[in-house]
């Protein structure tokens, strides 16, 4: 099968790879769509993502497709089923799993990180990780269930209440999902900070009450003009020290600052403890997607969440390295890989 194999920093090769072995509890998925995630970019750049990656590995953890074969012990799925997957498989036996924090599982299997993932024509996956797509849900939409699941974990931790004011920093895929989830959670006003005009335009269409160019406009002044004088929640979706510091600065009294964007492992931020003390800020971060995949897919299947407007292009495997290696390409929007293209 054709696969995009990661061999190390800046070394991704599209090549023929042996077909996956289908165990008794596995299903063989013909991959139809696999999203390019910021974690994939970090790994390509030689940084640690959410899990350790040992090359050579097939990356790609946001994927959907069609089941072509099922293992001898699989009872809940059949060939022909249209599915997506939760890439994080917990053991259920270690101390974190037995104490309600399974996303810190000591024996976690991560499809697309610790084992081969979806940037290939086929992937074998434990049936526990499989979810059926809705009748009208496309493969591209199904591939977005994993990032939505991660966003749901983060939005839950923000504790948004009806009537709250929320600022989202960054209008990429994650920021646009967070914008919508904040509105669904009851936020009265949501502002989007994003320097790229076409992303601000998508944000407006998805319900942002105000869209601000943080490089050209007075952010605090524009928020005040819109009546956002007490920001309850700021969700940082860029993963840069400067935008995290900005999030802390614009947060209102007793606000939650969600540091959702993934920074490089060794990056640091300048924090003024007095500022946090004076405003009684709560700084939070969100790690992967514990027990939120079903909710994510239900939102997508129901049509309550738009996961298509931010997709810029669907590409083949040969274009993946260009997407991973060029920020100016990724700035255009979300990319999805179709290994059969």
């Amino acid at each position: 099968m054709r696969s995009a194999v990661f061999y190390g920093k800046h070394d991704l090769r599209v090549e023929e790879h042996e077909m996956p072995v289908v165990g008794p509890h596995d299903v063989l998925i013909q991959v139809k769509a696999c999203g390019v995630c910021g974690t994939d970019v970090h790994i390509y750049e030689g940084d640690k993502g959410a899990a350790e990656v040992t090359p050579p590995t097939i990356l790609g953890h946001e994927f959907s497709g069609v089941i072509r074969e099922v293992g001898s012990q699989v009872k809940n799925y059949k060939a022909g089923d249209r599915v997506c997957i939760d890439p994080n498989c917990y053991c259920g036996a270690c101390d974190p799993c037995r104490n309600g924090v399974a996303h810190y599982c000591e024996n976690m299997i991560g499809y697309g990180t610790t084992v081969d993932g979806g940037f290939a024509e086929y992937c074998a996956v434990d049936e526990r990780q499989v979810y059926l797509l809705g009748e009208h849900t496309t493969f591209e939409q199904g591939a977005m269930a994993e990032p939505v699941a991660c966003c749901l974990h983060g939005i839950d931790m923000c504790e948004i209440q009806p009537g709250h004011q929320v600022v989202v920093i960054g209008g990429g895929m994650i920021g646009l999902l967070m914008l919508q989830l904040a509105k669904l959670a009851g936020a009265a006003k949501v502002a989007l900070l994003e320097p790229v005009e076409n992303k601000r335009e998508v944000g407006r269409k998805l319900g942002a009450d105000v869209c601000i160019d943080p490089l050209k406009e007075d952010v605090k002044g524009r928020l005040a003009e819109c009546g956002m004088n007490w920001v309850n929640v700021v969700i940082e979706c860029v993963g840069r020290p400067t935008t995290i510091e900005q999030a802390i600065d614009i947060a209102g009294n007793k606000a939650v600052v969600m540091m959702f964007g993934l920074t490089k492992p060794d990056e640091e931020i300048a924090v003024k403890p007095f500022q946090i003390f004076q405003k009684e800020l709560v700084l939070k971060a969100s790690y992967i997607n514990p027990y939120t995949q079903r909710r994510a897919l239900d939102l997508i299947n129901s049509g309550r969440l738009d996961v298509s407007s931010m997709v810029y292009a669907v590409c083949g495997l040969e274009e993946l390295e260009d997407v991973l290696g060029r920020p100016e390409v990724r700035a255009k929007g979300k990319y999805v890989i179709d290994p059969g293209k």
Side-chain angles (χ1 to χ4, degrees):
M1 66 175 182
R2 292 172 64 253
S3 309
V5 184
F6 173 71
Y7 280 91
K9 182 178 180 179
H10 297 166
D11 187 359
L12 188 82
R13 309 174 200 174
V14 177
E15 60 188 23
E16 288 297 319
H17 194 277
E18 66 272 13
M19 286 287 290
V21 175
V22 181
H25 295 283
D26 293 341
V27 300
L28 180 67
I29 298 174
Q30 182 180 11
V31 179
K32 295 293 187 178
C34 186
V36 180
C37 174
T39 294
D40 298 317
V41 176
H42 278 278
I43 295 169
Y44 178 76
E45 293 294 336
D47 299 324
K48 181 180 178 180
E52 294 285 356
V53 175
T54 303
T57 301
I58 300 170
L59 304 181
H61 56 275
E62 305 174 355
F63 64 95
S64 65
V66 180
I67 294 177
R68 294 305 184 196
E69 182 183 338
V70 299
S72 59
Q73 301 299 312
V74 173
K75 299 187 183 338
N76 296 319
Y77 301 97
K78 63 185 186 304
D81 283 345
R82 301 167 64 254
V83 298
C84 68
I85 70 129
D86 177 351
N88 303 307
C89 187
Y90 314 132
C91 75
C94 67
D95 280 348
C97 283
R98 288 160 61 91
N99 282 280
V101 285
H103 54 312
Y104 291 103
C105 174
E106 296 170 355
N107 307 295
M108 185 188 299
I109 294 172
Y111 294 99
T113 50
T114 68
V115 297
D116 288 341
F119 289 141
E121 291 184 290
Y122 294 89
C123 185
V125 178
D126 189 302
E127 68 168 323
R128 293 178 298 168
Q129 306 308 115
V130 174
Y131 294 81
L132 290 171
L133 300 184
E135 181 181 358
H136 302 291
T137 299
T138 67
F139 291 118
E140 288 79 14
Q141 291 171 326
M144 298 302 102
E146 191 275 344
V148 172
C150 292
C151 287
L152 278 173
H153 180 48
I155 212 80
D156 287 346
M157 294 177 67
C158 289
E159 301 180 18
I160 295 170
Q161 298 178 23
H164 270 180
Q165 298 179 359
V166 178
V167 174
V168 176
I169 302 178
M173 174 80 183
I174 295 300
L176 294 172
L177 290 175
M178 286 297 200
L179 185 164
Q180 296 179 79
L181 291 174
K183 298 288 279 191
L184 288 172
K189 291 185 178 180
V190 179
L192 175 67
L193 276 54
E194 168 55 54
V196 179
E197 170 57 33
N198 70 295
K199 291 183 179 180
R200 293 199 300 274
E201 185 57 37
V202 175
R204 291 186 190 97
K205 293 177 180 177
L206 293 177
D209 297 284
V210 56
C211 293
I212 302 170
D213 182 343
L215 302 183
K216 297 180 180 178
E217 298 181 80
D218 173 8
V219 172
K220 287 185 176 179
R222 290 280 283 118
L223 291 173
E225 286 174 10
C226 299
M228 297 184 69
N229 297 305
W230 190 327
V231 175
N232 304 99
V233 177
V234 185
I235 309 174
E236 196 279 342
C237 301
V238 180
R240 293 179 183 168
T242 53
T243 46
I244 296 173
E245 291 164 7
Q246 182 183 41
I248 294 171
D249 184 53
I250 64 178
N253 295 335
K254 299 189 75 65
V256 171
V257 175
M258 169 53 69
M259 299 175 288
F260 196 85
L262 184 62
T263 66
K264 289 180 176 292
D266 58 350
E267 285 184 322
E268 298 177 350
I269 60 173
V271 175
K272 298 176 182 177
F274 185 83
Q275 186 181 32
I276 296 171
F277 149 76
Q278 192 175 38
K279 294 198 287 187
E280 281 195 4
L281 298 183
V282 177
L283 309 184
K284 293 186 176 184
S286 172
Y287 179 62
I288 64 174
N289 62 338
Y291 308 116
T292 49
Q293 187 84 9
R294 175 79 269 167
R295 289 166 57 199
L297 188 57
D298 284 347
L299 277 172
I300 294 170
N301 286 340
S302 70
R304 294 289 304 278
L305 195 69
D306 183 338
V307 295
S308 301
S309 293
M310 60 287 289
V311 174
Y312 177 76
V314 179
C315 306
L317 288 173
E318 285 77 9
E319 297 165 89
L320 175 58
E321 187 163 27
D322 195 46
V323 175
L324 292 173
R326 297 177 59 195
E328 68 273 19
V329 172
R330 297 194 303 276
K332 297 176 182 178
K334 179 77 172 182
Y335 283 81
V336 175
I337 301 299
D338 177 356
K341 195 167 182 179

Short mmCIF file of all heavy atoms in Angstrom, two decimals, residues 5 10 12 24 40 42 58 83 102 106 119 121 130 168 176 183 196 208 228-229 236 269 281 304 310 313 339:
data_model
loop_
_atom_site.label_atom_id
_atom_site.label_comp_id
_atom_site.label_asym_id
_atom_site.label_seq_id
_atom_site.Cartn_x
_atom_site.Cartn_y
_atom_site.Cartn_z
N VAL A 5 5.66 7.83 5.17
CA VAL A 5 6.36 7.32 6.35
C VAL A 5 7.32 8.40 6.88
O VAL A 5 8.13 8.95 6.14
CB VAL A 5 7.16 6.04 6.01
CG1 VAL A 5 7.80 5.47 7.27
CG2 VAL A 5 6.23 5.00 5.37
N HIS A 10 12.12 16.46 9.25
CA HIS A 10 12.11 16.90 7.85
C HIS A 10 12.36 15.75 6.87
O HIS A 10 12.83 15.98 5.75
CB HIS A 10 13.15 18.01 7.62
CG HIS A 10 12.88 19.25 8.40
ND1 HIS A 10 13.81 20.25 8.55
CD2 HIS A 10 11.77 19.66 9.07
CE1 HIS A 10 13.30 21.22 9.30
NE2 HIS A 10 12.06 20.88 9.62
N LEU A 12 10.14 12.84 5.34
CA LEU A 12 8.88 12.13 5.12
C LEU A 12 8.92 11.54 3.70
O LEU A 12 9.16 12.26 2.74
CB LEU A 12 7.69 13.09 5.26
CG LEU A 12 6.31 12.44 5.23
CD1 LEU A 12 5.97 11.87 6.60
CD2 LEU A 12 5.25 13.44 4.80
N PRO A 24 -7.30 -10.35 15.81
CA PRO A 24 -8.66 -10.86 16.01
C PRO A 24 -9.66 -9.78 16.44
O PRO A 24 -10.85 -9.91 16.16
CB PRO A 24 -8.49 -11.92 17.10
CG PRO A 24 -7.15 -11.65 17.72
CD PRO A 24 -6.32 -11.04 16.66
N ASP A 40 1.09 16.89 13.98
CA ASP A 40 1.88 16.32 12.89
C ASP A 40 3.01 17.28 12.49
O ASP A 40 4.12 16.85 12.18
CB ASP A 40 0.99 16.04 11.67
CG ASP A 40 -0.09 15.02 11.95
OD1 ASP A 40 0.22 13.99 12.60
OD2 ASP A 40 -1.24 15.25 11.55
N HIS A 42 4.47 19.54 14.47
CA HIS A 42 5.48 19.51 15.54
C HIS A 42 6.39 18.29 15.38
O HIS A 42 7.62 18.39 15.51
CB HIS A 42 4.81 19.48 16.91
CG HIS A 42 4.38 20.83 17.40
ND1 HIS A 42 5.25 21.71 18.01
CD2 HIS A 42 3.19 21.46 17.36
CE1 HIS A 42 4.60 22.82 18.33
NE2 HIS A 42 3.35 22.69 17.94
N ILE A 58 4.15 5.74 10.32
CA ILE A 58 3.15 6.41 9.50
C ILE A 58 2.35 7.33 10.41
O ILE A 58 1.68 6.85 11.34
CB ILE A 58 2.23 5.41 8.79
CG1 ILE A 58 3.05 4.48 7.88
CG2 ILE A 58 1.16 6.12 7.98
CD1 ILE A 58 2.25 3.31 7.33
N VAL A 83 -16.66 4.61 8.87
CA VAL A 83 -16.29 4.85 10.27
C VAL A 83 -15.23 5.94 10.39
O VAL A 83 -14.54 6.29 9.43
CB VAL A 83 -15.75 3.55 10.92
CG1 VAL A 83 -16.81 2.47 10.94
CG2 VAL A 83 -14.49 3.06 10.21
N ALA A 102 -7.73 8.37 32.32
CA ALA A 102 -7.19 7.41 31.36
C ALA A 102 -6.36 8.07 30.27
O ALA A 102 -5.53 7.40 29.63
CB ALA A 102 -8.32 6.60 30.73
N GLU A 106 -0.52 4.78 31.13
CA GLU A 106 0.91 4.46 31.07
C GLU A 106 1.25 3.53 29.91
O GLU A 106 2.43 3.33 29.59
CB GLU A 106 1.35 3.84 32.39
CG GLU A 106 1.21 4.80 33.57
CD GLU A 106 1.41 4.11 34.91
OE1 GLU A 106 1.55 2.86 34.91
OE2 GLU A 106 1.43 4.81 35.94
N PHE A 119 -2.02 8.28 7.41
CA PHE A 119 -1.46 8.79 6.16
C PHE A 119 -1.00 7.61 5.30
O PHE A 119 0.16 7.49 4.91
CB PHE A 119 -0.30 9.75 6.43
CG PHE A 119 -0.73 11.07 7.01
CD1 PHE A 119 0.03 11.69 8.00
CD2 PHE A 119 -1.89 11.70 6.58
CE1 PHE A 119 -0.35 12.90 8.54
CE2 PHE A 119 -2.29 12.92 7.12
CZ PHE A 119 -1.53 13.52 8.11
N GLU A 121 -2.93 4.16 2.71
CA GLU A 121 -4.17 3.68 2.10
C GLU A 121 -4.99 2.82 3.05
O GLU A 121 -6.22 2.77 2.96
CB GLU A 121 -3.84 2.89 0.82
CG GLU A 121 -3.31 3.77 -0.29
CD GLU A 121 -3.08 3.02 -1.58
OE1 GLU A 121 -2.14 2.19 -1.62
OE2 GLU A 121 -3.85 3.22 -2.55
N VAL A 130 -13.40 2.46 17.17
CA VAL A 130 -14.13 2.73 15.94
C VAL A 130 -15.53 3.29 16.23
O VAL A 130 -16.21 2.84 17.17
CB VAL A 130 -14.24 1.44 15.10
CG1 VAL A 130 -15.11 1.64 13.88
CG2 VAL A 130 -12.85 0.97 14.69
N VAL A 168 -11.61 34.10 21.48
CA VAL A 168 -10.83 33.01 20.89
C VAL A 168 -9.68 33.64 20.12
O VAL A 168 -9.89 34.50 19.26
CB VAL A 168 -11.69 32.15 19.94
CG1 VAL A 168 -10.84 31.08 19.27
CG2 VAL A 168 -12.85 31.51 20.70
N LEU A 176 -11.78 27.99 15.09
CA LEU A 176 -13.12 28.08 14.53
C LEU A 176 -14.06 27.04 15.16
O LEU A 176 -15.26 27.28 15.30
CB LEU A 176 -13.07 27.92 13.02
CG LEU A 176 -12.33 29.06 12.28
CD1 LEU A 176 -12.16 28.72 10.82
CD2 LEU A 176 -13.09 30.38 12.45
N LYS A 183 -20.30 29.23 21.50
CA LYS A 183 -21.67 29.68 21.25
C LYS A 183 -22.68 28.61 21.68
O LYS A 183 -23.70 28.92 22.31
CB LYS A 183 -21.86 30.00 19.77
CG LYS A 183 -20.98 31.12 19.24
CD LYS A 183 -21.38 32.48 19.72
CE LYS A 183 -22.54 33.04 18.93
NZ LYS A 183 -22.78 34.48 19.21
N VAL A 196 -5.47 36.86 9.54
CA VAL A 196 -5.74 36.51 8.14
C VAL A 196 -7.21 36.81 7.82
O VAL A 196 -8.11 36.25 8.45
CB VAL A 196 -5.41 35.03 7.87
CG1 VAL A 196 -5.71 34.68 6.42
CG2 VAL A 196 -3.94 34.75 8.19
N ALA A 208 -19.09 34.46 14.96
CA ALA A 208 -18.33 35.40 15.78
C ALA A 208 -19.04 36.75 15.82
O ALA A 208 -19.48 37.26 14.78
CB ALA A 208 -16.92 35.57 15.23
N MET A 228 -17.60 44.23 25.33
CA MET A 228 -16.92 43.10 25.98
C MET A 228 -15.90 43.65 26.96
O MET A 228 -14.68 43.60 26.75
CB MET A 228 -16.28 42.18 24.93
CG MET A 228 -17.31 41.54 24.01
SD MET A 228 -16.60 40.35 22.80
CE MET A 228 -16.09 39.02 23.89
N ASN A 229 -16.41 44.17 28.07
CA ASN A 229 -15.57 44.82 29.08
C ASN A 229 -15.15 43.87 30.20
O ASN A 229 -14.33 44.23 31.03
CB ASN A 229 -16.32 46.02 29.67
CG ASN A 229 -16.60 47.09 28.63
OD1 ASN A 229 -15.69 47.57 27.97
ND2 ASN A 229 -17.87 47.44 28.47
N GLU A 236 -6.81 30.32 23.89
CA GLU A 236 -5.66 30.56 23.02
C GLU A 236 -5.46 29.32 22.15
O GLU A 236 -5.22 28.22 22.66
CB GLU A 236 -4.42 30.85 23.86
CG GLU A 236 -3.27 31.46 23.07
CD GLU A 236 -2.45 30.44 22.30
OE1 GLU A 236 -2.53 29.23 22.61
OE2 GLU A 236 -1.71 30.85 21.40
N ILE A 269 6.88 31.40 28.69
CA ILE A 269 6.13 32.65 28.65
C ILE A 269 6.53 33.52 29.83
O ILE A 269 6.96 33.02 30.87
CB ILE A 269 4.59 32.42 28.67
CG1 ILE A 269 4.16 31.68 29.94
CG2 ILE A 269 4.15 31.68 27.42
CD1 ILE A 269 2.65 31.58 30.10
N LEU A 281 -7.08 35.10 38.08
CA LEU A 281 -7.16 34.29 36.87
C LEU A 281 -6.93 32.82 37.17
O LEU A 281 -6.20 32.46 38.09
CB LEU A 281 -6.13 34.76 35.85
CG LEU A 281 -6.26 36.19 35.33
CD1 LEU A 281 -5.19 36.45 34.28
CD2 LEU A 281 -7.64 36.45 34.75
N ARG A 304 -25.04 20.12 13.96
CA ARG A 304 -24.98 21.26 14.87
C ARG A 304 -23.63 21.98 14.82
O ARG A 304 -23.50 23.11 15.29
CB ARG A 304 -25.25 20.81 16.32
CG ARG A 304 -26.65 20.29 16.58
CD ARG A 304 -27.69 21.40 16.54
NE ARG A 304 -27.41 22.48 17.47
CZ ARG A 304 -27.70 22.46 18.77
NH1 ARG A 304 -28.25 21.37 19.29
NH2 ARG A 304 -27.43 23.50 19.53
N MET A 310 -13.87 25.40 7.24
CA MET A 310 -12.46 25.75 7.44
C MET A 310 -11.49 24.85 6.69
O MET A 310 -10.28 25.05 6.73
CB MET A 310 -12.11 25.75 8.93
CG MET A 310 -12.32 24.44 9.64
SD MET A 310 -14.05 23.99 9.95
CE MET A 310 -14.53 25.14 11.20
N ALA A 313 -8.35 22.47 1.48
CA ALA A 313 -8.13 21.58 0.34
C ALA A 313 -8.00 20.14 0.78
O ALA A 313 -7.59 19.85 1.90
CB ALA A 313 -6.86 22.00 -0.42
N PRO A 339 -5.47 9.42 0.86
CA PRO A 339 -4.38 8.57 0.40
C PRO A 339 -4.63 7.91 -0.95
O PRO A 339 -3.69 7.47 -1.62
CB PRO A 339 -4.26 7.51 1.50
CG PRO A 339 -4.85 8.15 2.71
CD PRO A 339 -5.97 8.99 2.18
#
